[in-house]
Amino acid sequence: MKNLKIKEKINKKIPDHIAIIMDGNGRWAEKQGKIRAFGHKAGFEKVKEIIKFSVHNNIKVLTLYTFSSENWKRPKSEVSSLLELFSFALKNEIKNLNKYNICLKIIGDVTYFNSELQRCINYAEKITLNNSGLILNIAANYGGKWDIVEGVKKIVSAVQDGYLNIHQIEEKIFSQYLCTNSLLPVDLVIRTGGEKRISNFLLWQIAYSELYFTDVLWPDFDQFILQDAINDFSIRKRRFGGIIKD
């Protein structure tokens, strides 16, 4: 991550956990007459800027939706370029992750990736495991429905093996069987690119998250727009189904 000029630290209430659906790389490239892979590379540079901002402002967890379980439906050439970029990032950003005390976590079904990429993932997670700053949570080959189904399988197995009584199962217990079991709850979900849907992202985890949508395509997203989203979050009244008295 290059040294970037960033705004002064925000003084308002900030979310502990921000999750971003980074949409619009392909459309951004097409508007410039470029191939979609060009947009993904530009999007990667934007990721580094947003990570730097998150570190500077003491955000505890940043989850980025980089590759969904549905993205395999895209043209093979685009999928290949996305996975090559992912591998490149894992290999070349380790020093910066350690420099900024960032702990990297990957959520999703990584068994679909080739052995080299899986080795890169395992190494990157291992080498940053003891870092105590920002938790950078990358959703790769991830789907919210898949996460829930896998959680159900694990619970069924625990019950069958006698480790868990069926009457013990409640929301808190179920959450412990999801990919995000060790993370703080998601406070704010941001989606770029103009679409206003969740697209199978963290379906269980964002039941009470605040949502923020912007028409800005991901490569044009920046720290100023992120700060606007955080400012908007800071003035919202989060009731969680209850009533807030003035």
Side-chain angles (χ1 to χ4, degrees):
M1 288 176 283
K2 298 179 181 178
N3 291 326
L4 296 167
K5 292 183 179 180
I6 56 181
K7 298 179 76 173
E8 295 298 322
K9 287 187 178 182
I10 44 185
N11 296 318
K12 297 181 179 180
K13 176 177 172 58
I14 64 173
D16 288 328
H17 186 167
I18 298 175
I20 305 179
I21 302 172
M22 306 176 295
D23 192 17
N25 289 339
R27 282 174 287 156
W28 182 87
E30 290 169 352
K31 282 186 175 182
Q32 301 187 49
K34 306 284 188 178
I35 61 174
R36 293 174 64 86
F38 182 78
H40 295 308
K41 290 180 180 178
F44 171 59
E45 293 302 317
K46 192 59 57 176
V47 164
K48 293 191 285 185
E49 177 182 341
I50 297 308
I51 292 172
K52 182 76 176 291
F53 176 90
S54 299
V55 170
H56 183 71
N57 283 284
N58 299 317
I59 291 167
K60 295 178 181 178
V61 185
L62 177 65
T63 295
L64 302 177
Y65 203 12
T66 59
F67 189 85
S68 77
S69 52
E70 288 75 33
N71 284 159
W72 295 104
K73 300 174 184 177
R74 295 186 178 189
K76 289 184 179 180
S77 59
E78 183 175 355
V79 170
S80 178
S81 66
L82 278 167
L83 297 183
E84 287 176 6
L85 184 59
F86 186 28
S87 180
F88 173 85
L90 289 169
K91 293 176 181 177
N92 290 275
E93 292 299 324
I94 293 294
K95 289 183 179 179
N96 283 321
L97 292 175
N98 284 328
K99 176 182 177 181
Y100 290 102
N101 196 28
I102 296 170
C103 177
L104 179 69
K105 294 180 181 294
I106 310 295
I107 61 171
D109 189 356
V110 300
T111 62
Y112 274 71
F113 299 142
N114 62 45
S115 57
E116 179 186 357
L117 181 51
Q118 288 186 52
R119 283 195 297 270
C120 289
I121 289 171
N122 291 333
Y123 178 75
E125 288 186 315
K126 181 178 179 180
I127 207 72
T128 64
L129 179 63
N130 294 321
N131 290 343
S132 58
L134 172 73
I135 295 175
L136 177 59
N137 196 39
I138 301 296
N141 194 31
Y142 175 86
K145 291 181 179 179
W146 166 85
D147 196 4
I148 292 170
V149 169
E150 289 301 303
V152 170
K153 290 178 182 178
K154 292 173 185 176
I155 284 181
V156 169
S157 179
V159 171
Q160 290 176 338
D161 292 340
Y163 294 115
L164 184 66
N165 186 298
I166 192 170
H167 299 293
Q168 294 176 299
I169 301 172
E170 56 184 17
E171 290 182 13
K172 185 176 181 179
I173 294 295
F174 185 77
S175 295
Q176 294 173 5
Y177 287 85
L178 298 176
C179 285
T180 53
N181 64 82
S182 63
L183 302 177
L184 292 167
V186 180
D187 295 309
L188 174 63
V189 178
I190 299 170
R191 178 164 188 156
T192 66
E195 304 292 352
K196 295 179 174 61
R197 56 177 177 267
I198 300 304
S199 295
N200 199 20
F201 183 48
L202 300 174
L203 297 180
W204 175 276
Q205 295 89 338
I206 64 174
Y208 272 102
S209 302
E210 298 297 320
L211 307 180
Y212 185 91
F213 299 100
T214 174
D215 291 334
V216 175
L217 301 176
W218 176 247
D220 290 328
F221 190 84
D222 59 25
Q223 56 183 314
F224 301 98
I225 302 171
L226 176 54
Q227 182 161 323
D228 286 341
I230 293 172
N231 290 342
D232 183 78
F233 169 86
S234 71
I235 61 174
R236 296 189 188 184
K237 294 183 178 180
R238 307 188 72 194
R239 298 179 177 84
F240 298 99
I243 297 174
I244 297 177
K245 296 182 179 180
D246 295 329

